[in-house]
Structure formats: C-alpha cells, structure tokens
PDB file of all heavy atoms in Angstrom:
ATOM      1  N   PRO A   1       0.888  -1.239  -0.035  1.00  0.00           N
ATOM      2  CA  PRO A   1       0.028   0.038   0.058  1.00  0.00           C
ATOM      3  C   PRO A   1       0.918   1.201   0.024  1.00  0.00           C
ATOM      4  O   PRO A   1       2.110   1.140   0.236  1.00  0.00           O
ATOM      5  CB  PRO A   1      -0.702  -0.184   1.351  1.00  0.00           C
ATOM      6  CG  PRO A   1       0.122  -0.977   2.272  1.00  0.00           C
ATOM      7  CD  PRO A   1       0.851  -1.822   1.284  1.00  0.00           C
ATOM      8  N   ARG A   2       0.231   2.355  -0.269  1.00  0.00           N
ATOM      9  CA  ARG A   2       1.089   3.691  -0.265  1.00  0.00           C
ATOM     10  C   ARG A   2       1.646   3.928   1.154  1.00  0.00           C
ATOM     11  O   ARG A   2       0.949   3.611   2.079  1.00  0.00           O
ATOM     12  CB  ARG A   2       0.209   4.821  -0.703  1.00  0.00           C
ATOM     13  CG  ARG A   2      -0.067   4.767  -2.285  1.00  0.00           C
ATOM     14  CD  ARG A   2      -0.825   5.932  -2.699  1.00  0.00           C
ATOM     15  NE  ARG A   2      -1.415   5.830  -4.095  1.00  0.00           N
ATOM     16  CZ  ARG A   2      -2.311   6.497  -4.581  1.00  0.00           C
ATOM     17  NH1 ARG A   2      -2.806   7.503  -3.988  1.00  0.00           N
ATOM     18  NH2 ARG A   2      -2.748   6.227  -5.814  1.00  0.00           N
ATOM     19  N   ARG A   3       2.773   4.549   1.134  1.00  0.00           N
ATOM     20  CA  ARG A   3       3.434   4.863   2.402  1.00  0.00           C
ATOM     21  C   ARG A   3       3.957   3.583   3.164  1.00  0.00           C
ATOM     22  O   ARG A   3       4.264   3.883   4.330  1.00  0.00           O
ATOM     23  CB  ARG A   3       2.613   5.747   3.209  1.00  0.00           C
ATOM     24  CG  ARG A   3       2.393   7.232   2.487  1.00  0.00           C
ATOM     25  CD  ARG A   3       2.617   8.395   3.486  1.00  0.00           C
ATOM     26  NE  ARG A   3       4.012   8.514   3.901  1.00  0.00           N
ATOM     27  CZ  ARG A   3       4.414   8.867   5.097  1.00  0.00           C
ATOM     28  NH1 ARG A   3       3.541   9.404   5.950  1.00  0.00           N
ATOM     29  NH2 ARG A   3       5.657   8.943   5.474  1.00  0.00           N
ATOM     30  N   ARG A   4       3.866   2.598   2.565  1.00  0.00           N
ATOM     31  CA  ARG A   4       4.522   1.225   3.177  1.00  0.00           C
ATOM     32  C   ARG A   4       5.532   0.655   2.246  1.00  0.00           C
ATOM     33  O   ARG A   4       5.186   0.071   1.291  1.00  0.00           O
ATOM     34  CB  ARG A   4       3.414   0.280   3.519  1.00  0.00           C
ATOM     35  CG  ARG A   4       2.768   0.420   4.938  1.00  0.00           C
ATOM     36  CD  ARG A   4       1.892   1.603   5.039  1.00  0.00           C
ATOM     37  NE  ARG A   4       1.195   1.748   6.288  1.00  0.00           N
ATOM     38  CZ  ARG A   4       0.268   2.755   6.515  1.00  0.00           C
ATOM     39  NH1 ARG A   4       0.026   3.660   5.575  1.00  0.00           N
ATOM     40  NH2 ARG A   4      -0.322   2.818   7.599  1.00  0.00           N
ATOM     41  N   TRP A   5       6.728   1.110   2.426  1.00  0.00           N
ATOM     42  CA  TRP A   5       7.806   0.813   1.419  1.00  0.00           C
ATOM     43  C   TRP A   5       7.435   1.196   0.118  1.00  0.00           C
ATOM     44  O   TRP A   5       7.455   0.340  -0.950  1.00  0.00           O
ATOM     45  CB  TRP A   5       8.198  -0.673   1.657  1.00  0.00           C
ATOM     46  CG  TRP A   5       9.676  -0.993   1.010  1.00  0.00           C
ATOM     47  CD1 TRP A   5       9.902  -1.377  -0.374  1.00  0.00           C
ATOM     48  CD2 TRP A   5      10.926  -0.584   1.486  1.00  0.00           C
ATOM     49  NE1 TRP A   5      11.180  -1.392  -0.590  1.00  0.00           N
ATOM     50  CE2 TRP A   5      11.854  -0.867   0.521  1.00  0.00           C
ATOM     51  CE3 TRP A   5      11.331  -0.074   2.770  1.00  0.00           C
ATOM     52  CZ2 TRP A   5      13.226  -0.670   0.699  1.00  0.00           C
ATOM     53  CZ3 TRP A   5      12.662   0.186   2.902  1.00  0.00           C
ATOM     54  CH2 TRP A   5      13.630  -0.190   1.872  1.00  0.00           C
ATOM     55  N   GLU A   6       6.886   2.291  -0.124  1.00  0.00           N
ATOM     56  CA  GLU A   6       6.423   2.918  -1.387  1.00  0.00           C
ATOM     57  C   GLU A   6       7.647   3.474  -2.194  1.00  0.00           C
ATOM     58  O   GLU A   6       8.314   4.334  -1.672  1.00  0.00           O
ATOM     59  CB  GLU A   6       5.361   3.891  -1.117  1.00  0.00           C
ATOM     60  CG  GLU A   6       4.905   4.412  -2.484  1.00  0.00           C
ATOM     61  CD  GLU A   6       3.889   5.682  -2.305  1.00  0.00           C
ATOM     62  OE1 GLU A   6       3.735   6.097  -1.159  1.00  0.00           O
ATOM     63  OE2 GLU A   6       3.373   6.138  -3.432  1.00  0.00           O
ATOM     64  N   ARG A   7       7.891   2.897  -3.275  1.00  0.00           N
ATOM     65  CA  ARG A   7       8.957   3.365  -4.229  1.00  0.00           C
ATOM     66  C   ARG A   7       8.382   4.640  -4.811  1.00  0.00           C
ATOM     67  O   ARG A   7       7.483   4.637  -5.696  1.00  0.00           O
ATOM     68  CB  ARG A   7       9.271   2.346  -5.261  1.00  0.00           C
ATOM     69  CG  ARG A   7      10.470   2.883  -6.119  1.00  0.00           C
ATOM     70  CD  ARG A   7      11.200   1.678  -6.791  1.00  0.00           C
ATOM     71  NE  ARG A   7      12.295   2.067  -7.606  1.00  0.00           N
ATOM     72  CZ  ARG A   7      13.230   1.281  -8.092  1.00  0.00           C
ATOM     73  NH1 ARG A   7      13.219   0.079  -7.569  1.00  0.00           N
ATOM     74  NH2 ARG A   7      14.164   1.739  -8.797  1.00  0.00           N
ATOM     75  N   VAL A   8       8.980   5.764  -4.524  1.00  0.00           N
ATOM     76  CA  VAL A   8       8.632   7.103  -4.970  1.00  0.00           C
ATOM     77  C   VAL A   8       9.268   7.441  -6.310  1.00  0.00           C
ATOM     78  O   VAL A   8       8.564   8.103  -7.162  1.00  0.00           O
ATOM     79  CB  VAL A   8       9.031   8.083  -3.922  1.00  0.00           C
ATOM     80  CG1 VAL A   8       8.588   9.639  -4.383  1.00  0.00           C
ATOM     81  CG2 VAL A   8       8.340   7.765  -2.569  1.00  0.00           C
ATOM     82  N   GLY A   9      10.500   7.054  -6.424  1.00  0.00           N
ATOM     83  CA  GLY A   9      11.170   7.494  -7.729  1.00  0.00           C
ATOM     84  C   GLY A   9      12.686   7.301  -7.575  1.00  0.00           C
ATOM     85  O   GLY A   9      13.197   6.498  -6.721  1.00  0.00           O
ATOM     86  N   THR A  10      13.547   8.031  -8.292  1.00  0.00           N
ATOM     87  CA  THR A  10      14.903   7.923  -8.371  1.00  0.00           C
ATOM     88  C   THR A  10      15.449   9.427  -8.274  1.00  0.00           C
ATOM     89  O   THR A  10      14.746  10.381  -8.759  1.00  0.00           O
ATOM     90  CB  THR A  10      15.575   7.122  -9.375  1.00  0.00           C
ATOM     91  OG1 THR A  10      15.117   7.758 -10.655  1.00  0.00           O
ATOM     92  CG2 THR A  10      14.875   5.745  -9.308  1.00  0.00           C
ATOM     93  N   LEU A  11      16.796   9.501  -7.939  1.00  0.00           N
ATOM     94  CA  LEU A  11      17.565  10.777  -8.079  1.00  0.00           C
ATOM     95  C   LEU A  11      18.922  10.329  -8.330  1.00  0.00           C
ATOM     96  O   LEU A  11      19.684   9.819  -7.514  1.00  0.00           O
ATOM     97  CB  LEU A  11      17.404  11.542  -6.789  1.00  0.00           C
ATOM     98  CG  LEU A  11      18.299  12.851  -6.640  1.00  0.00           C
ATOM     99  CD1 LEU A  11      17.846  13.863  -7.730  1.00  0.00           C
ATOM    100  CD2 LEU A  11      18.390  13.343  -5.220  1.00  0.00           C
ATOM    101  N   ASP A  12      19.358  10.623  -9.570  1.00  0.00           N
ATOM    102  CA  ASP A  12      20.738  10.391 -10.003  1.00  0.00           C
ATOM    103  C   ASP A  12      21.071   8.871  -9.718  1.00  0.00           C
ATOM    104  O   ASP A  12      22.380   8.704  -9.233  1.00  0.00           O
ATOM    105  CB  ASP A  12      21.748  11.365  -9.205  1.00  0.00           C
ATOM    106  CG  ASP A  12      21.494  12.775  -9.586  1.00  0.00           C
ATOM    107  OD1 ASP A  12      20.949  13.018 -10.708  1.00  0.00           O
ATOM    108  OD2 ASP A  12      21.907  13.656  -9.042  1.00  0.00           O
ATOM    109  N   GLY A  13      20.439   7.907  -9.903  1.00  0.00           N
ATOM    110  CA  GLY A  13      20.623   6.548  -9.741  1.00  0.00           C
ATOM    111  C   GLY A  13      20.258   5.900  -8.246  1.00  0.00           C
ATOM    112  O   GLY A  13      20.215   4.795  -8.061  1.00  0.00           O
ATOM    113  N   ALA A  14      19.986   7.030  -7.302  1.00  0.00           N
ATOM    114  CA  ALA A  14      19.559   6.481  -5.989  1.00  0.00           C
ATOM    115  C   ALA A  14      18.076   6.150  -6.123  1.00  0.00           C
ATOM    116  O   ALA A  14      17.250   6.859  -6.762  1.00  0.00           O
ATOM    117  CB  ALA A  14      19.787   7.486  -5.056  1.00  0.00           C
ATOM    118  N   ILE A  15      17.724   5.126  -5.193  1.00  0.00           N
ATOM    119  CA  ILE A  15      16.311   4.790  -5.150  1.00  0.00           C
ATOM    120  C   ILE A  15      15.631   5.567  -3.934  1.00  0.00           C
ATOM    121  O   ILE A  15      16.285   5.743  -2.807  1.00  0.00           O
ATOM    122  CB  ILE A  15      16.069   3.261  -4.998  1.00  0.00           C
ATOM    123  CG1 ILE A  15      16.619   2.503  -6.170  1.00  0.00           C
ATOM    124  CG2 ILE A  15      14.610   2.895  -4.655  1.00  0.00           C
ATOM    125  CD1 ILE A  15      16.663   1.162  -5.921  1.00  0.00           C
ATOM    126  N   ILE A  16      14.405   6.091  -4.065  1.00  0.00           N
ATOM    127  CA  ILE A  16      13.744   6.820  -3.024  1.00  0.00           C
ATOM    128  C   ILE A  16      12.582   6.053  -2.630  1.00  0.00           C
ATOM    129  O   ILE A  16      11.643   5.865  -3.394  1.00  0.00           O
ATOM    130  CB  ILE A  16      13.460   8.351  -3.528  1.00  0.00           C
ATOM    131  CG1 ILE A  16      14.684   8.973  -3.939  1.00  0.00           C
ATOM    132  CG2 ILE A  16      12.631   9.053  -2.294  1.00  0.00           C
ATOM    133  CD1 ILE A  16      14.455  10.357  -4.591  1.00  0.00           C
ATOM    134  N   ILE A  17      12.545   5.782  -1.301  1.00  0.00           N
ATOM    135  CA  ILE A  17      11.417   4.969  -0.730  1.00  0.00           C
ATOM    136  C   ILE A  17      10.728   5.890   0.376  1.00  0.00           C
ATOM    137  O   ILE A  17      11.441   6.583   1.038  1.00  0.00           O
ATOM    138  CB  ILE A  17      11.979   3.773  -0.105  1.00  0.00           C
ATOM    139  CG1 ILE A  17      12.691   2.768  -1.079  1.00  0.00           C
ATOM    140  CG2 ILE A  17      10.898   2.851   0.588  1.00  0.00           C
ATOM    141  CD1 ILE A  17      11.834   2.240  -2.200  1.00  0.00           C
ATOM    142  N   ASP A  18       9.473   5.640   0.529  1.00  0.00           N
ATOM    143  CA  ASP A  18       8.741   6.332   1.640  1.00  0.00           C
ATOM    144  C   ASP A  18       8.007   5.262   2.487  1.00  0.00           C
ATOM    145  O   ASP A  18       7.534   4.360   1.850  1.00  0.00           O
ATOM    146  CB  ASP A  18       7.679   7.313   1.163  1.00  0.00           C
ATOM    147  CG  ASP A  18       6.920   8.013   2.202  1.00  0.00           C
ATOM    148  OD1 ASP A  18       7.665   8.612   3.076  1.00  0.00           O
ATOM    149  OD2 ASP A  18       5.697   7.974   2.157  1.00  0.00           O
ATOM    150  N   ASP A  19       8.058   5.519   3.817  1.00  0.00           N
ATOM    151  CA  ASP A  19       7.534   4.570   4.648  1.00  0.00           C
ATOM    152  C   ASP A  19       6.915   5.271   5.899  1.00  0.00           C
ATOM    153  O   ASP A  19       7.479   6.325   6.412  1.00  0.00           O
ATOM    154  CB  ASP A  19       8.354   3.487   5.187  1.00  0.00           C
ATOM    155  CG  ASP A  19       7.669   2.301   5.762  1.00  0.00           C
ATOM    156  OD1 ASP A  19       7.254   2.260   6.854  1.00  0.00           O
ATOM    157  OD2 ASP A  19       7.510   1.214   4.941  1.00  0.00           O
ATOM    158  N   TYR A  20       5.678   4.792   6.332  1.00  0.00           N
ATOM    159  CA  TYR A  20       4.954   5.503   7.428  1.00  0.00           C
ATOM    160  C   TYR A  20       5.434   5.042   8.801  1.00  0.00           C
ATOM    161  O   TYR A  20       4.853   5.647   9.770  1.00  0.00           O
ATOM    162  CB  TYR A  20       3.383   4.890   7.189  1.00  0.00           C
ATOM    163  CG  TYR A  20       2.363   5.766   8.077  1.00  0.00           C
ATOM    164  CD1 TYR A  20       2.052   6.981   7.760  1.00  0.00           C
ATOM    165  CD2 TYR A  20       1.750   5.034   9.100  1.00  0.00           C
ATOM    166  CE1 TYR A  20       0.970   7.552   8.710  1.00  0.00           C
ATOM    167  CE2 TYR A  20       0.690   5.561   9.828  1.00  0.00           C
ATOM    168  CZ  TYR A  20       0.372   6.907   9.668  1.00  0.00           C
ATOM    169  OH  TYR A  20      -0.591   7.525  10.405  1.00  0.00           O
ATOM    170  N   ALA A  21       6.396   4.316   8.845  1.00  0.00           N
ATOM    171  CA  ALA A  21       6.883   3.744  10.265  1.00  0.00           C
ATOM    172  C   ALA A  21       7.032   4.945  11.218  1.00  0.00           C
ATOM    173  O   ALA A  21       7.704   5.917  10.771  1.00  0.00           O
ATOM    174  CB  ALA A  21       8.237   2.964  10.153  1.00  0.00           C
ATOM    175  N   HIS A  22       6.476   4.767  12.466  1.00  0.00           N
ATOM    176  CA  HIS A  22       6.704   5.816  13.344  1.00  0.00           C
ATOM    177  C   HIS A  22       6.747   5.375  14.807  1.00  0.00           C
ATOM    178  O   HIS A  22       6.883   6.163  15.686  1.00  0.00           O
ATOM    179  CB  HIS A  22       5.436   6.671  13.254  1.00  0.00           C
ATOM    180  CG  HIS A  22       4.050   5.932  13.387  1.00  0.00           C
ATOM    181  ND1 HIS A  22       3.530   5.274  12.408  1.00  0.00           N
ATOM    182  CD2 HIS A  22       3.272   5.655  14.527  1.00  0.00           C
ATOM    183  CE1 HIS A  22       2.349   4.624  12.760  1.00  0.00           C
ATOM    184  NE2 HIS A  22       2.321   4.889  14.085  1.00  0.00           N
ATOM    185  N   ASN A  23       7.004   4.023  15.103  1.00  0.00           N
ATOM    186  CA  ASN A  23       7.503   3.650  16.375  1.00  0.00           C
ATOM    187  C   ASN A  23       8.750   2.795  16.286  1.00  0.00           C
ATOM    188  O   ASN A  23       9.107   2.399  15.033  1.00  0.00           O
ATOM    189  CB  ASN A  23       6.328   2.796  17.113  1.00  0.00           C
ATOM    190  CG  ASN A  23       5.935   1.715  16.605  1.00  0.00           C
ATOM    191  OD1 ASN A  23       6.597   0.889  15.881  1.00  0.00           O
ATOM    192  ND2 ASN A  23       4.641   1.398  16.663  1.00  0.00           N
ATOM    193  N   ALA A  24       9.318   2.624  17.336  1.00  0.00           N
ATOM    194  CA  ALA A  24      10.631   1.914  17.271  1.00  0.00           C
ATOM    195  C   ALA A  24      10.706   0.612  16.437  1.00  0.00           C
ATOM    196  O   ALA A  24      11.667   0.356  15.678  1.00  0.00           O
ATOM    197  CB  ALA A  24      11.135   1.711  18.685  1.00  0.00           C
ATOM    198  N   ALA A  25       9.682  -0.268  16.764  1.00  0.00           N
ATOM    199  CA  ALA A  25       9.750  -1.603  16.007  1.00  0.00           C
ATOM    200  C   ALA A  25       9.586  -1.410  14.502  1.00  0.00           C
ATOM    201  O   ALA A  25      10.199  -2.129  13.809  1.00  0.00           O
ATOM    202  CB  ALA A  25       8.695  -2.534  16.631  1.00  0.00           C
ATOM    203  N   LYS A  26       8.638  -0.603  14.140  1.00  0.00           N
ATOM    204  CA  LYS A  26       8.495  -0.318  12.698  1.00  0.00           C
ATOM    205  C   LYS A  26       9.589   0.387  12.173  1.00  0.00           C
ATOM    206  O   LYS A  26      10.004  -0.073  10.998  1.00  0.00           O
ATOM    207  CB  LYS A  26       7.280   0.529  12.527  1.00  0.00           C
ATOM    208  CG  LYS A  26       5.906   0.003  12.990  1.00  0.00           C
ATOM    209  CD  LYS A  26       4.779   0.931  12.902  1.00  0.00           C
ATOM    210  CE  LYS A  26       3.499   0.283  13.428  1.00  0.00           C
ATOM    211  NZ  LYS A  26       2.337   1.334  13.419  1.00  0.00           N
ATOM    212  N   VAL A  27      10.266   1.252  12.735  1.00  0.00           N
ATOM    213  CA  VAL A  27      11.461   1.955  12.147  1.00  0.00           C
ATOM    214  C   VAL A  27      12.559   0.867  12.025  1.00  0.00           C
ATOM    215  O   VAL A  27      13.225   0.855  10.868  1.00  0.00           O
ATOM    216  CB  VAL A  27      11.847   3.048  13.148  1.00  0.00           C
ATOM    217  CG1 VAL A  27      13.235   3.602  12.669  1.00  0.00           C
ATOM    218  CG2 VAL A  27      10.886   4.173  13.049  1.00  0.00           C
ATOM    219  N   ALA A  28      12.732   0.012  13.006  1.00  0.00           N
ATOM    220  CA  ALA A  28      13.767  -1.095  12.913  1.00  0.00           C
ATOM    221  C   ALA A  28      13.449  -2.025  11.728  1.00  0.00           C
ATOM    222  O   ALA A  28      14.483  -2.383  11.034  1.00  0.00           O
ATOM    223  CB  ALA A  28      13.753  -1.847  14.142  1.00  0.00           C
ATOM    224  N   ALA A  29      12.264  -2.221  11.568  1.00  0.00           N
ATOM    225  CA  ALA A  29      11.839  -3.121  10.392  1.00  0.00           C
ATOM    226  C   ALA A  29      12.182  -2.511   8.941  1.00  0.00           C
ATOM    227  O   ALA A  29      12.630  -3.145   8.049  1.00  0.00           O
ATOM    228  CB  ALA A  29      10.310  -3.482  10.413  1.00  0.00           C
ATOM    229  N   VAL A  30      11.967  -1.199   8.997  1.00  0.00           N
ATOM    230  CA  VAL A  30      12.210  -0.421   7.686  1.00  0.00           C
ATOM    231  C   VAL A  30      13.748  -0.372   7.419  1.00  0.00           C
ATOM    232  O   VAL A  30      14.198  -0.592   6.315  1.00  0.00           O
ATOM    233  CB  VAL A  30      11.613   1.012   7.816  1.00  0.00           C
ATOM    234  CG1 VAL A  30      12.163   1.892   6.608  1.00  0.00           C
ATOM    235  CG2 VAL A  30      10.108   0.851   7.745  1.00  0.00           C
ATOM    236  N   VAL A  31      14.465  -0.105   8.546  1.00  0.00           N
ATOM    237  CA  VAL A  31      15.945   0.095   8.345  1.00  0.00           C
ATOM    238  C   VAL A  31      16.491  -1.441   7.879  1.00  0.00           C
ATOM    239  O   VAL A  31      17.372  -1.538   7.001  1.00  0.00           O
ATOM    240  CB  VAL A  31      16.648   0.411   9.658  1.00  0.00           C
ATOM    241  CG1 VAL A  31      18.074   0.349   9.485  1.00  0.00           C
ATOM    242  CG2 VAL A  31      16.252   1.925   9.962  1.00  0.00           C
ATOM    243  N   GLY A  32      15.897  -2.456   8.411  1.00  0.00           N
ATOM    244  CA  GLY A  32      16.256  -3.806   8.061  1.00  0.00           C
ATOM    245  C   GLY A  32      15.933  -3.951   6.567  1.00  0.00           C
ATOM    246  O   GLY A  32      16.721  -4.699   5.830  1.00  0.00           O
ATOM    247  N   ALA A  33      14.817  -3.598   6.212  1.00  0.00           N
ATOM    248  CA  ALA A  33      14.379  -3.830   4.768  1.00  0.00           C
ATOM    249  C   ALA A  33      15.344  -3.020   3.790  1.00  0.00           C
ATOM    250  O   ALA A  33      15.725  -3.547   2.746  1.00  0.00           O
ATOM    251  CB  ALA A  33      13.029  -3.329   4.577  1.00  0.00           C
ATOM    252  N   ALA A  34      15.705  -1.816   4.261  1.00  0.00           N
ATOM    253  CA  ALA A  34      16.687  -1.057   3.498  1.00  0.00           C
ATOM    254  C   ALA A  34      18.041  -1.624   3.246  1.00  0.00           C
ATOM    255  O   ALA A  34      18.687  -1.650   2.238  1.00  0.00           O
ATOM    256  CB  ALA A  34      16.839   0.288   4.050  1.00  0.00           C
ATOM    257  N   ARG A  35      18.468  -2.314   4.474  1.00  0.00           N
ATOM    258  CA  ARG A  35      19.746  -3.072   4.303  1.00  0.00           C
ATOM    259  C   ARG A  35      19.675  -4.114   3.444  1.00  0.00           C
ATOM    260  O   ARG A  35      20.678  -4.431   2.652  1.00  0.00           O
ATOM    261  CB  ARG A  35      20.112  -3.451   5.825  1.00  0.00           C
ATOM    262  CG  ARG A  35      20.399  -2.461   6.803  1.00  0.00           C
ATOM    263  CD  ARG A  35      21.739  -2.592   7.471  1.00  0.00           C
ATOM    264  NE  ARG A  35      22.864  -2.319   6.407  1.00  0.00           N
ATOM    265  CZ  ARG A  35      23.432  -1.248   6.200  1.00  0.00           C
ATOM    266  NH1 ARG A  35      23.128  -0.235   6.769  1.00  0.00           N
ATOM    267  NH2 ARG A  35      24.475  -1.214   5.252  1.00  0.00           N
ATOM    268  N   GLN A  36      18.528  -4.866   3.161  1.00  0.00           N
ATOM    269  CA  GLN A  36      18.332  -6.001   2.160  1.00  0.00           C
ATOM    270  C   GLN A  36      18.675  -5.543   0.834  1.00  0.00           C
ATOM    271  O   GLN A  36      18.984  -6.415   0.012  1.00  0.00           O
ATOM    272  CB  GLN A  36      17.001  -6.574   2.365  1.00  0.00           C
ATOM    273  CG  GLN A  36      16.899  -7.888   1.644  1.00  0.00           C
ATOM    274  CD  GLN A  36      15.391  -8.549   1.864  1.00  0.00           C
ATOM    275  OE1 GLN A  36      14.957  -8.671   2.896  1.00  0.00           O
ATOM    276  NE2 GLN A  36      14.863  -9.079   0.868  1.00  0.00           N
TER     277      GLN A  36
END
C-alpha cells in the first residue's frame, strides 16, 4: 500500500522510498528492509 515501502522514484541513480513507520519496532523493520 502507499506509504508502506512505497517506491517514490529515483535521483541520480539512487532509489527513493517512503514509509509510514513511526514507532521503534516499525522503524527497525524499515531499516532492516533497506539493508536488504
């Protein structure tokens, strides 16, 4: 769904993602996903 690991676009080859995470467990999950 939107704002849950939503791929927004790119900038000079970088990928831009948006996520609604707002508490510690959710933020940790998003950081883990980004590391993947």
